[in-house]
Amino acid sequence: MDIEVLAVGGYNEFGRNMTAVRCGKEIVIFDMGIRLDSLMMNPDVEMENTHSLDLISMGVIPDDTIMNSLEGSVKAIVLSHGHLDHIGAVPKLAHRYNAPIIASPYTIELVRQHIEGEKKFGVNNKLYALKAGQQYTISPTLTIEFVATQHSIIDTVTPVLHTPRGAIVYALDFKLDRTPVVGEPPDFARLQKLGKEGVLCLIAEVTKIRESGRCPSEQIAKNMLQSVISSYEDDPSAIVISTFASHVARVKTIAECVHSIGRKPILLGRSMERFCATAESMKYVRFPEGTSIFGNRRTVERTLRRVMKAKRDEYVPIVTGHQGEPGSILTRIAEKDVPYKIEKGDKVMISAQLIPNDMNRAQRYRMFSLLGGQGARIFDELHVSGHAYCEDHYELLQMLNPTYVIAAHGGLDITSNYVDLAKDFGYMLNKDFFLMANGQKQKLA
Amino acid sequence: MDIEVLAVGGYNEFGRNMTAVRCGKEIVIFDMGIRLDSLMMNPDVEMENTHSLDLISMGVIPDDTIMNSLEGSVKAIVLSHGHLDHIGAVPKLAHRYNAPIIASPYTIELVRQHIEGEKKFGVNNKLYALKAGQQYTISPTLTIEFVATQHSIIDTVTPVLHTPRGAIVYALDFKLDRTPVVGEPPDFARLQKLGKEGVLCLIAEVTKIRESGRCPSEQIAKNMLQSVISSYEDDPSAIVISTFASHVARVKTIAECVHSIGRKPILLGRSMERFCATAESMKYVRFPEGTSIFGNRRTVERTLRRVMKAKRDEYVPIVTGHQGEPGSILTRIAEKDVPYKIEKGDKVMISAQLIPNDMNRAQRYRMFSLLGGQGARIFDELHVSGHAYCEDHYELLQMLNPTYVIAAHGGLDITSNYVDLAKDFGYMLNKDFFLMANGQKQKLA
Amino acid sequence: MDIEVLAVGGYNEFGRNMTAVRCGKEIVIFDMGIRLDSLMMNPDVEMENTHSLDLISMGVIPDDTIMNSLEGSVKAIVLSHGHLDHIGAVPKLAHRYNAPIIASPYTIELVRQHIEGEKKFGVNNKLYALKAGQQYTISPTLTIEFVATQHSIIDTVTPVLHTPRGAIVYALDFKLDRTPVVGEPPDFARLQKLGKEGVLCLIAEVTKIRESGRCPSEQIAKNMLQSVISSYEDDPSAIVISTFASHVARVKTIAECVHSIGRKPILLGRSMERFCATAESMKYVRFPEGTSIFGNRRTVERTLRRVMKAKRDEYVPIVTGHQGEPGSILTRIAEKDVPYKIEKGDKVMISAQLIPNDMNRAQRYRMFSLLGGQGARIFDELHVSGHAYCEDHYELLQMLNPTYVIAAHGGLDITSNYVDLAKDFGYMLNKDFFLMANGQKQKLA
Amino acid sequence: MDIEVLAVGGYNEFGRNMTAVRCGKEIVIFDMGIRLDSLMMNPDVEMENTHSLDLISMGVIPDDTIMNSLEGSVKAIVLSHGHLDHIGAVPKLAHRYNAPIIASPYTIELVRQHIEGEKKFGVNNKLYALKAGQQYTISPTLTIEFVATQHSIIDTVTPVLHTPRGAIVYALDFKLDRTPVVGEPPDFARLQKLGKEGVLCLIAEVTKIRESGRCPSEQIAKNMLQSVISSYEDDPSAIVISTFASHVARVKTIAECVHSIGRKPILLGRSMERFCATAESMKYVRFPEGTSIFGNRRTVERTLRRVMKAKRDEYVPIVTGHQGEPGSILTRIAEKDVPYKIEKGDKVMISAQLIPNDMNRAQRYRMFSLLGGQGARIFDELHVSGHAYCEDHYELLQMLNPTYVIAAHGGLDITSNYVDLAKDFGYMLNKDFFLMANGQKQKLA
């Protein structure tokens, strides 16, 4: 069977991930994401009201017009996890394909909410929730399987496409965390078994390939946060913490640490509500007793006013804004645009790393300067990554032993380190190891 | 006589330079500048309508309330050159002192224009234009002398305060350029003579002390620009160039290079008009025949429309916006907000370096991305600095042989390199070599 | 009483720490260290055979000839902890002073061994072991007290000199680790009490002041090591680990992690033996059963040969060489100069960070390249720092509330961040906050 | 005709360049270089006494055993210029091929000298000197043409292989310098004509593709050196200058600048003699009157002794050692290992940039520290690159308009910028634009 991989988006760049695999006449699409920094370049654009072709020309969503060059029909749209760079373009692109959207239950629920918010297109694709460990029959020749993995959002899976010529493993994004805080560790047994059954191709993210060793477990982030937060148990200063709203496990950890020093966690911000309340209602997590969540702008302000009236050290706002995003709660606190006042010695903790682009760098610098000017003490990078490091990739290659390897999710400058790693396993560039660029097709022959 | 130096602004920071020297009961102020990056933090603030106390609390202008701690009366406000970080706070602060403002003719003219634009305060200090090489008698005991120097703006001087105990040399900012493009080289003979007569104290900028060797002459910038621009003599692509509007010598160089390949220079932008038209009318420079200058917003747009209608390769717009400043011409070109269209292969040349802060980095990155997306080829850093490098400082110390040295114009992290240099001359920290912080007084005893 | 601080070594530089405090006619010296990178510049120099004046001119040991400028006599030499940059010059300088050497028991034992190795000078100063929590009466007016603290070597103390005008706290080096792996946490209660009793002067290291937040606890290093090492429990590859031989707590952690996956730890290298065997014999630590320690060159080689003959995955060599030092065990493994062979897939773990200078960078790069070329997988930076971060300094200042602050242990470029921190507490540079340079005196008046 | 490119060395790495092109049954080899940093890893290896297979396994020379996989016979070995990373492996590898070595006259002379020094292999290949602008008929179907170009060594050419399917242009290394100091500018007319006749494939170096704009002309280096050196015309301090011995044009510039301030240039060092005396005897350059050249170790020392006895400011030693190489003259001056004494205020000028690897960084740091400790003032980077910048590559692509492009001479991390550039011209990765790895073959089909 003729098998071909089409790099639609996210190759030689970060963001707007989309990959198509054609097996004979049948096509499976993996992910439909957006590129956030392209969106930041055009601050006046409202996603939900903008046409897909305009978003393509701005580089915000993948240029899927190239899909016409594939001969075959799309049978399934498979989503790996709920981050915007993997699902954000679904409302803009999915309706063009007469195919179901398959994702893990939490991811499906996020997609459902996105589609509801879309104002330009009607998206009627069937949504199918497939749990990790389960399979879905796409056609007599193709089956999709979800293998449990870990990442910085809950319910992330590694989709595996079973073809007559072997498995195609789509490892975007993943982390081989043996001691996660929410959910199960990656299914090592299944990955090893896949390796023995025969993997035709591994498509792997390379985001953190340049980091030596292993990505630290989420448990380490928990240890760090617990250590720092508990050191202020007897300090009357206020504490404000910001992290990725989508990183539900981290939010849970923070809420628990806060709870353990006798303060009440309050989750604030629209996306904080979307990700965390959804996760709680779906029973993925349980936040400590006394935790409250508010997303609505007016409710957020009312809550902060109430906190200011109470003793400030009774509550810990857990808020959006770790990158200094305009309009986020932490940025608005820095700008004195909400009824919450920073006092000298207050602790502002960032459980995230800088997403390294110049726009974020500037927004953060401004936010930190404003907060610092009001007397806040800044705690940055109380964080561990959600992406595989070099030795995690080594382990994955060792387990899967794929015939072909394709590197994705990063510029070629980063990807070049993956070349070195693959060389150690005997792969050779352009023979059985491929670096691709958006728009390019690669036959697996 | 009791002599004391008060660090008002620009110590352990960049910008808002202001230093006061008290000799007995008489005080002389050097510079009154603003800090631009503090202003950028507060994008909604309009300088001309804001009260000085608010600007002080934002860190935009020096906190001169500290002046009350000096016992004596201000006899003169001396300005070294026309950059905003040296004169920008004059309209906000000068009226508090009953003293004349003394500066070189070009600088005085710029100050006059600033004062006219001020809407909050009436500034009635006498403006006195003192040429390089001339002296001004402040009082029976104090005289101010202007020694010619070079910098990235024309008519920069090194003010020297003659006191009964020797000269106090205020070397902010300077460059020992032996082959300048406009004006005369620094007056080495006079500096050496001052050294022999006796210098009590040198107050020196340290901005580029970490660069080894000598700051390249402005002639090198001319060579570089000529080389690059002339290589496109036969290329039909459009060329757009941006540089510091205040760097009149550079603008002249660019205009001449453009003229030499048979294209017409058009200087565009409000500040381009202010600095360059003023300089030309005062006969500091003559731009090549056919050069035109437009500052008014509507005129700029009309001119660009006309250029687009003509052959684009007949004109070269020389514009503001090298840092990607919002509202500047180059930024507006990038945003397609003016009637000038970038085409594939057009050359955009930046004859400036990034002013290193995160805000500029982000603005530039965005501007370059937008221009690149339209097909522009970017030429960055066709530039040499206007600040003394390490060996220029070495030469200055050697010539002046001052009793005391005070480092200014930069964070302590930078200044620490000046400590090493001074140590080679036998100075010892806190004995005869001082690092100061805003608000601090230092007796020269 | 007239009190004066003399910066002898380690000011505006890293290494060769030495500070003298004169109280009236009595002088107390804190630390006598060496500067390792100066030693690296002169690879042929053998410390034990070189005269102190030569070592001074090479910048290896502090220039204590300046001590003559202090009027008074040295009453005590107080050592904070056992690192070479704090005690390494004792064999070269201590004999010049007729005064006892006071240090914690472990430090005293290390000093004793150093003095024995010295071949140029006879050092007969009395060695006095003072435990954390105890006091030593120097004279009727002066008492020294050791306050327990944490650092990257066991038995580190914060010496406090009690004078008639208040306490002088010498906080080089320290870490406010609430959950250490060996020893007790810093004595917060005592530090707070000192603050209330009155601290005249705090002399503080600033090494890591530029790091935001708190220095992670040694417990975090343990978590990280445990997580990575245990992930290879079922992997047949060999594991080799290198860390600071002096970091006994870390060595203990590593040995325990190794033990927990069923392998036997073998500590190898001369300094590994000196620090760890000494610590064990003094009962500071107990290594897991089955741990062995070998320092002698021939024994090390014999042991490695034995390991190669056994199953390589039964033992884990814990070795010197994390910086790629010439002659260290790990470097020799990389150079194939010992009978231990790296095989494809073996794990080499570095539980240390690069000590940032260009010499180390080059040595490490070479070592990693050689190891990588033999198939080793490199795990770098399984480490946390032993130095206070910004918020630890904040807490210390808050507890001690000293009248004067002096920054030490780092270049002025680093120290400048401490200026900002001190400013938040109301200190002003050169008034009650001092940056000093070697050879400089500062009266506390 | 079947045409295939084999990446032998210098792909996804820096150094040991070697590329083979097979046209039907005939093979042409381009360059046979060494990788210097691999050699630095093994400081005890003597090139001339080491077998090629050992050098291959150390990564010092290209692994040409892969040549066996090409079906055909080698008809010519073509060398682009005389740098070691392009010709250094000739003595080790050329004898395996029964083919002439073709290079420009200066390069051929350097190769001849290298072969003479070789002690392991007898190299009897015919040496053929082909001038820029000339052609050499390899076979009825293949012709080689040398197009004049510029680089940091004289007599560099761009070899062009004419095949029945069009030209193959081997652009390693090059610089589009319109105003060179020695030799003619690149032959733009011929390059444009080649583009019109039809270029099948461009193999291009990418070393400096990440630099925006154009590489500054060698004329700019001359301007910079003249400006700095002449500023010390009246300064009695000694001046010592180091640059690349192979950069004959630069050495000439320096000698002329030195001559112009009335001092006598003395070129010192074995390689200084090899490159410069050879160039002068072949009439490529003429050094100013009074210039002398000494390479022999004893003569160098005798000369330095003589200079020390004369007035030190009558001579300017121009020496090897800009990277701090062990054994080079400048390093030995720093180590006080030659009879030349640095005095306080002497100027040491480096007309080179750091070749960025950690080994050089450390050696240089040590050398600068030792020199600085003796009072030398350091002038670094009086230099311009010899490699094309981004817009030079743009111009080359525009002129040649090749059907296929292959990026060489750099890691993939660097090469990725060339991908972006090529994309602007419509090339697509893996379709008509190739990134290759050593050992890989690419058909041009």
Side-chain angles (χ1 to χ4, degrees), chain C residues 149-213:
Chain C
T149 194
Q150 280 287 330
H151 182 44
S152 48
I153 186 168
I154 54 173
D155 218 12
T156 299
V157 297
T158 300
V160 177
L161 178 66
H162 292 281
T163 80
R165 289 180 52 205
I168 294 176
V169 179
Y170 179 81
L172 273 69
D173 301 340
F174 75 101
K175 170 177 177 175
L176 300 184
D177 191 341
R178 283 160 161 85
T179 54
V181 160
V182 171
E184 298 299 310
D187 191 345
F188 291 100
R190 182 62 188 134
L191 291 169
Q192 274 155 351
K193 192 142 174 285
L194 280 168
K196 275 172 198 138
E197 293 168 7
V199 172
L200 176 66
C201 182
L202 167 65
I203 305 172
E205 65 138 328
V206 300
T207 317
K208 291 279 185 182
I209 185 84
R210 290 191 291 193
E211 302 289 331
S212 93

Side-chain angles (χ1 to χ4, degrees), chain D residues 408-422:
Chain D
H409 212 265
L412 285 182
D413 52 336
I414 287 171
T415 321
S416 79
N417 284 54
Y418 199 59
V419 178
D420 292 337
L421 179 66

Side-chain angles (χ1 to χ4, degrees), chain C residues 86-140:
Chain C
H86 294 258
I87 67 165
V90 166
K92 300 296 175 188
L93 299 179
H95 67 281
R96 308 197 197 185
Y97 307 99
N98 181 17
I101 295 172
I102 304 163
S104 68
Y106 183 67
T107 307
I108 280 289
E109 176 55 26
L110 294 175
V111 167
R112 205 188 49 70
Q113 295 177 17
H114 271 291
I115 287 174
E116 274 174 15
E118 171 63 22
K119 294 175 181 158
K120 207 79 190 169
F121 300 106
V123 181
N124 299 311
N125 307 55
K126 190 185 152 199
L127 301 183
Y128 189 91
L130 185 70
K131 287 191 186 162
Q134 296 186 335
Q135 304 211 348
Y136 176 99
T137 306
I138 293 174
S139 75

Side-chain angles (χ1 to χ4, degrees), chain B residues 261-273:
Chain B
I261 63 163
R263 304 194 186 188
K264 288 196 187 65
I266 323 177
L267 280 51
L268 296 177
R270 216 176 301 269
S271 59
M272 205 55 93
E273 185 177 41

Side-chain angles (χ1 to χ4, degrees), chain A residues 178-179 212-217 219-220 223-224 227-228 230-232 235 237 344-347 372 375 377-381 390-392 394-395 398 421 424-425, chain C residues 178-179 212-217 219-220 223-224 227-228 230-232 235 237 344-347 372 375 377-381 390-392 394-395 398 421 424-425:
Chain A
R178 281 159 163 87
T179 53
S212 94
R214 283 196 183 278
C215 181
S217 167
Q219 189 63 44
I220 302 291
N223 295 334
M224 294 195 300
S227 178
V228 170
S230 69
S231 79
Y232 293 108
D235 189 310
S237 312
K344 195 167 149 44
D346 283 354
K347 320 299 175 196
R377 311 303 313 167
I378 309 288
F379 298 71
D380 200 1
E381 299 248 7
C390 188
E391 297 312 314
D392 299 312
Y394 186 93
E395 189 178 13
Q398 210 171 26
L421 179 66
D424 288 347
F425 280 94
Chain C
R178 283 160 161 85
T179 54
S212 93
R214 282 195 185 279
C215 181
S217 167
Q219 190 63 45
I220 302 291
N223 296 333
M224 293 195 301
S227 178
V228 170
S230 69
S231 80
Y232 293 107
D235 190 310
S237 312
K344 197 168 147 43
D346 283 353
K347 320 299 175 197
R377 310 304 313 167
I378 309 289
F379 297 71
D380 199 1
E381 300 245 7
C390 188
E391 296 313 313
D392 300 311
Y394 186 93
E395 188 178 13
Q398 209 171 27
L421 179 65
D424 289 348
F425 280 94

